[in-house]
């Protein structure tokens, strides 16, 4: 084998090893992290929330919005401010715990449907 061929083979091997190393590093980059670290679901700063729409399975909606005087409904009617504070606190504390396994989704949907009816 000539020197050029040896150099090309050596550089090709180094390139393949480098690519494999990058690929393995990419695969294990999130190793050890929990699902909650990978998916940030909560709203950290609820002071920037200026409108909430609450709806149910039947399609009924209730909208509230923030004004300079506090929270009001969609028609600028008065509402209980403590209830809104509780909702915002709940939004801030929501955590994503993980995915429902594929084989449990059907049973989980039945359970959730029965509880919300």
């Amino acid at each position: 084998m000539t020197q050029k061929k040896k150099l090309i083979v050596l550089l090709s091997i180094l390139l393949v090893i480098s690519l494999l190393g990058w690929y393995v590093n990419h695969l294990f980059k999130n190793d050890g992290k929990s699902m909650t670290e990978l998916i940030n679901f909560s709203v950290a700063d609820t002071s920037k929330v200026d409108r909430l729409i609450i709806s149910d399975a039947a399609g009924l909606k209730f909208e509230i919005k923030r004004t300079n005087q506090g929270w009001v409904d969609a028609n600028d009617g008065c509402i209980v401010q403590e209830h809104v504070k509780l909702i915002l606190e709940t939004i801030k504390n929501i955590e994503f715990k993980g995915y429902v396994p594929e084989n449990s989704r059907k049973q989980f949907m039945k359970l959730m449907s029965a509880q919300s009816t």
Side-chain angles (χ1 to χ4, degrees), residues 25-107:
N25 183 40
H26 180 70
L27 285 177
F28 292 109
K29 184 167 75 171
N30 293 326
D31 190 34
K33 291 185 178 179
S34 69
M35 289 256 195
T36 56
E37 291 175 284
L38 298 176
I39 300 173
N40 186 6
F41 190 75
S42 64
V43 177
D45 186 11
T46 57
S47 67
K48 295 181 180 179
V49 175
D50 60 355
R51 185 172 81 139
L52 295 170
I53 300 174
I54 303 168
S55 61
D56 66 3
L60 298 173
K61 293 183 180 180
F62 182 73
E63 181 179 343
I64 55 177
K65 57 187 177 182
R66 187 190 304 256
T67 65
N68 292 336
Q69 290 77 29
W71 289 88
V72 295
D73 68 8
N75 300 321
D76 293 330
C78 185
I79 61 170
V80 179
Q81 301 298 306
E82 289 301 316
H83 294 174
V84 178
K85 289 179 185 177
L86 180 62
I87 291 170
L88 291 174
E89 185 179 324
T90 303
I91 290 171
K92 186 175 182 176
N93 292 327
I94 289 175
E95 287 186 17
F96 182 80
K97 294 293 186 181
Y99 292 104
V100 176
E102 190 73 36
N103 57 356
S104 300
R105 287 184 184 174
K106 189 174 181 179
Q107 181 63 28

